[in-house]
Each structure stands twice: as structure tokens, then as C-alpha cells.
């Protein structure tokens, strides 16, 4: 990899010659400006405001503009003679725990490579010291015309340096947080923890830029003359969420289903929409003539049939109870008494004429 800066690490009285190499690269696709009507390239030309002539890059220097608009020329020699110790040196000023560095300060990242055989020993010493202390080094260095702040740490067997913003370059988050008072329940936090645990298991090396890949495919298709615009894929809008708990539960289920956890049941649950808020249905309209609806008539008929059935059952029960309580005996005794009376009364004689 090509170095962008050569210098040394100042580690107390130890000086370690190093080369600065970019640790990151951008894969973003850049575009050129063109004239829409004919596709011609639109370029920016650098023109001097005084004589109106176009100037080359070699003729362009630096200048500081005063409040009144006047320009003070600044040359590279002027910058090189500034009395700063970090012009060609990464000066370590302290060692601190890594968690004391605010991620908001993180800027570009670089690899520090040992420059020459004599740098191998002190380079390895600093690397191993950082490993054993489990700390990072805070340093100052100058790059591209300005002094910067950096953080040195170990990545594999290499010392890496992250450029840091100066503390006064971090803006205070005033007026950013919600102004309304919100109470979060423990149950909601438990579901949030479950979702974090599920999503936190992803292998970050498996993540990639889907947009860039689609853009590259489109450019290749257009270059080959076989480009056919596809319809934009839009996600179906889900129902109106009842509450935060429902959304969290669905999110956990969806995360598990995407990882193949929980089988088909979890996948089915994940595909289901969040339950929407249902409005109360209006009362059924009455039929003409004041008659109730068919549903009401059916319910009434069922109720009448049930009442008749209950009455019949009660009648049978009453008759059975009456028979058991001596009703049969009373009837038999009455019959016997009538027969006895008829037997005891002698027949009347007929009178002769």
C-alpha cells in the first residue's frame, strides 16, 4: 500500500520511523456532471478573477481571506517553518483506557508501518506495550497543513491510528433530545433487550452495500444496451400498531425467523402484520316494519325452542315426582272404596204394578 506521509513516532526518548498508510477506502460510485441534451461532459474551470485567464494546478497556491476581502498569500515554506514539534512527528502525550474516547471524535483511520529495519524493534516494543496495558495512546501530529489529534491502538499485529476531532469541534446536542416526559416500562425494556440480543449476533463481515451492487448492475446493463427498468419494490404497509409492546414482540419474532430460529411457527408469526386498532362496528339496521333482523330472529327462535324444551322437561319431571309420591296409591285406594260401597248396598226391589 502506498504511504501518504513519512515521519516518526515520538515515544518519550524513543523515536520510531514510520510510514502512514490509509486504513480505509471508499467504494462509493461517483458521477460526472453532463449536459442532459447531448451527454457532453460539464467541467469546472479555474479562472483568475483579476485577468479572467484559466490557470493550471501548478499555478494555484493558498491564501487567507481577511474580513475586508483582501487575500494574504501563504506558501508551503511558510507552513513548513511554523514552530510545531508535530510537523514530522506523531508525538504521544498520554495513555488512556479506550472507553474514555468518545466515538463522536473518531475521524479517518490509518495504519502505521515500520519504516526500515531499524524501526522494527521499537515498533514491536510499543505494540506489545499497548497490548499488555490494554490502553490506547493519545498523540498529536500534523497532516495536510494542520495539526491533528490521534489515537493509537493495536489491530492484529499492526499499530493503527485514528484521527480524532478536537474537543471543541464536537457540538453540544442542545435541543436534540425529546422534550416530552416519557415513562418506559420494565416489560418494554425486557423485550428491547431480547431484540438487541437477537440482532447483536450478526456477523458484521457478512454485511454489504446492496445499493452499490444494484447501481453497478444497472451501469453494466446500460453499457451493454440491455437495461430494462424494473418496478420499485415497496414494502407493504403494516397495520396501525396498538402499542410499543406489540411492535417489539413482532420485531423479536421477525429477527428470529430471519435467522431460521423457531421453525415454521416463528416464520408464520413474523410474516403476520401487527394487530391494527379495530373500530367498533355500527349497530345492525332494523328491517322494514319493525321486524328484527334475521340474526335477531334466529337468536329469538333458539331462545323460544330452548324455553319449550325446558318446560317439557319440567312437566315430565313433575309428573314423575307426583307418581313417586303416592299418586298411584291414592287412585287405587279410591277405586277399591267405590267397589266396596257398591257391594254393601243391596239392590232395590221393583214394585209390582
Amino acid at each position: 500500500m502506498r504511504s501518504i506521509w513519512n515521519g516518526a513516532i515520538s515515544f518519550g526518548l524513543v523515536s520510531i520511523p514510520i510510514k502512514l498508510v490509509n486504513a480505509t477506502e471508499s467504494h462509493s460510485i461517483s458521477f460526472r456532471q453532463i449536459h442532459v441534451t447531448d451527454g457532453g461532459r460539464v467541467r469546472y474551470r479555474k479562472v483568475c478573477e483579476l485577468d479572467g485567464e484559466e490557470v493550471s494546478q501548478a499555478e494555484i497556491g493558498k491564501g487567507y481571506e481577511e474580513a475586508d476581502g483582501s487575500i494574504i498569500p501563504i506558501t508551503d515554506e511558510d507552513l513548513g517553518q511554523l514552530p510545531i514539534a508535530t510537523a514530522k512527528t506523531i508525538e504521544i502525550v498520554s495513555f488512556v483506557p479506550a472507553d474514555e474516547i468518545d466515538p463522536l471524535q473518531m475521524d479517518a483511520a490509518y495504519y502505521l508501518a515500520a519504516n526500515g529495519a531499524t524501526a522494527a524493534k521499537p515498533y514491536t516494543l510499543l505494540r506489545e506495550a499497548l497490548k499488555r496495558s490494554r490502553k490506547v495512546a493519545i498523540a498529536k501530529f500534523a497532516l495536510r497543513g494542520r495539526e491533528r489529534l490521534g489515537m493509537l491502538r493495536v489491530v492484529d499485529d499492526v499499530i493503527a491510528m485514528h484521527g480524532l476531532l478536537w474537543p471543541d469541534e464536537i457540538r453540544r446536542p442542545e435541543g436534540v433530545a425529546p422534550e416530552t416526559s416519557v415513562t418506559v416500562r420494565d416489560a418494554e425494556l425486557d423485550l428491547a433487550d431480547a431484540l438487541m440480543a437477537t440482532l447483536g449476533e450478526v456477523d458484521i463481515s457478512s454485511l454489504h452495500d446492496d445499493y452499490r451492487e444494484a447501481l453497478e448492475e444497472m451501469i453494466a446493463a446500460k453499457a451493454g444496451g440491455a437495461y430494462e427498468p424494473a418496478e420499485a419494490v415497496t414494502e407493504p404497509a403494516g397495520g396501525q400498531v396498538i402499542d410499543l409492546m406489540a411492535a417489539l414482540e413482532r420485531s423479536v419474532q421477525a429477527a428470529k425467523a430471519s435467522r431460521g430460529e423457531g421453525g415454521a411457527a416463528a416464520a408464520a408469526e413474523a410474516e403476520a402484520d401487527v394487530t391494527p386498532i379495530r373500530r367498533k362496528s355500527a349497530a345492525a339496521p332494523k328491517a322494514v316494519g319493525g321486524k328484527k333482523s334475521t340474526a335477531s330472529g334466529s337468536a329469538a327462535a333458539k331462545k323460544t325452542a330452548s324455553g319449550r324444551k325446558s318446560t317439557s322437561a319440567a312437566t315430565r319431571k313433575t309428573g314423575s315426582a307426583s307418581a313417586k309420591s303416592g299418586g298411584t296409591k291414592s287412585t287405587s285406594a279410591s277405586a277399591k272404596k267405590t267397589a266396596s260401597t257398591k257391594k254393601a248396598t243391596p239392590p232395590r226391589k221393583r214394585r209390582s204394578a
Side-chain angles (χ1 to χ4, degrees):
M1 289 185 288
R2 185 176 64 87
S3 63
I4 61 172
W5 184 86
N6 293 338
I9 299 175
S10 175
F11 178 32
L13 297 178
V14 178
S15 180
I16 309 172
I18 57 95
K19 295 183 293 183
L20 198 66
V21 179
N22 279 322
T24 62
E25 59 185 358
S26 175
H27 290 164
S28 298
I29 297 175
S30 58
F31 299 101
R32 300 292 188 186
Q33 290 187 330
I34 62 171
H35 189 195
V36 176
T37 57
D38 56 15
R41 173 84 179 273
V42 176
R43 297 179 180 272
Y44 289 104
R45 296 184 178 181
K46 298 180 179 181
V47 178
C48 176
E49 291 182 352
L50 296 180
D51 56 18
E53 297 291 331
E54 184 177 352
V55 294
S56 64
Q57 185 62 38
E59 299 177 281
I60 298 175
K62 300 181 181 69
Y64 178 80
E65 185 177 2
E66 292 277 25
D68 58 1
S70 60
I71 302 294
I72 300 176
I74 303 294
T75 65
D76 291 338
E77 290 74 17
D78 294 334
L79 297 176
Q81 294 175 358
L82 291 176
I84 54 174
T86 57
K88 280 292 182 181
T89 303
I90 299 174
E91 182 182 359
I92 295 177
V93 295
S94 66
F95 293 87
V96 300
D99 57 7
E100 289 189 8
I101 304 300
D102 189 343
L104 284 174
Q105 288 186 258
M106 295 289 187
D107 202 358
Y110 308 94
Y111 289 134
L112 304 181
N115 193 3
T118 57
K121 178 71 174 181
Y123 184 96
T124 304
L125 172 64
L126 176 59
R127 183 190 67 196
E128 296 304 314
L130 288 171
K131 281 185 180 180
R132 190 167 71 172
S133 67
R134 296 183 179 179
K135 293 183 177 182
V136 296
I138 302 300
K140 295 171 69 176
F141 66 103
L143 181 65
R144 297 191 178 102
R146 53 172 294 209
E147 189 173 45
R148 303 167 186 259
L149 197 61
M151 179 191 75
L152 277 63
R153 68 184 184 97
V154 178
V155 177
D156 295 333
D157 289 331
V158 176
I159 299 175
M161 181 175 69
H162 295 268
L164 300 178
L165 299 175
W166 295 99
D168 59 359
E169 292 179 320
I170 305 297
R171 300 175 62 184
R172 298 290 302 171
E174 297 176 357
V176 178
E179 297 180 357
T180 57
S181 178
V182 178
T183 301
V184 179
R185 295 177 293 170
D186 290 339
E188 293 169 338
L189 284 174
D190 292 340
L191 279 174
D193 290 341
L195 179 58
M196 290 168 62
T198 304
L199 297 178
E201 296 174 358
V202 67
D203 181 7
I204 196 169
S205 63
S206 66
L207 302 178
H208 57 279
D209 189 348
D210 294 326
Y211 178 81
R212 178 174 58 86
E213 291 181 359
L215 189 58
E216 289 175 345
E217 292 176 1
M218 181 193 69
I219 293 173
K222 279 200 166 189
Y227 174 69
E228 294 183 2
E231 294 184 2
V233 179
T234 57
E235 294 292 335
Q240 187 176 4
V241 178
I242 289 178
D243 57 16
L244 183 59
M245 293 288 289
L248 288 171
E249 288 172 355
R250 296 294 185 190
S251 299
V252 173
Q253 292 168 1
K256 289 183 178 179
S258 66
R259 301 176 188 282
E261 300 177 10
E269 288 290 337
E271 291 176 359
D273 288 336
V274 178
T275 305
I277 295 177
R278 295 180 179 177
R279 297 180 179 178
K280 294 183 179 180
S281 59
K286 293 184 178 181
V288 178
K291 294 181 180 181
K292 295 183 178 179
S293 64
T294 305
S296 301
S298 177
K302 290 181 179 179
K303 186 174 182 182
T304 303
S306 177
R308 289 176 179 174
K309 190 175 181 181
S310 301
T311 304
S312 177
T315 304
R316 288 198 298 271
K317 188 174 181 182
T318 305
S320 177
S322 175
K324 287 182 180 181
S325 63
T328 304
K329 288 182 180 181
S330 301
T331 305
S332 179
S334 176
K336 287 180 180 181
K337 186 175 181 181
T338 304
S340 176
T341 304
K342 289 181 179 180
K343 186 177 182 182
T345 305
R348 295 180 180 180
K349 293 182 180 182
R350 296 180 178 179
R351 294 180 182 181
S352 59

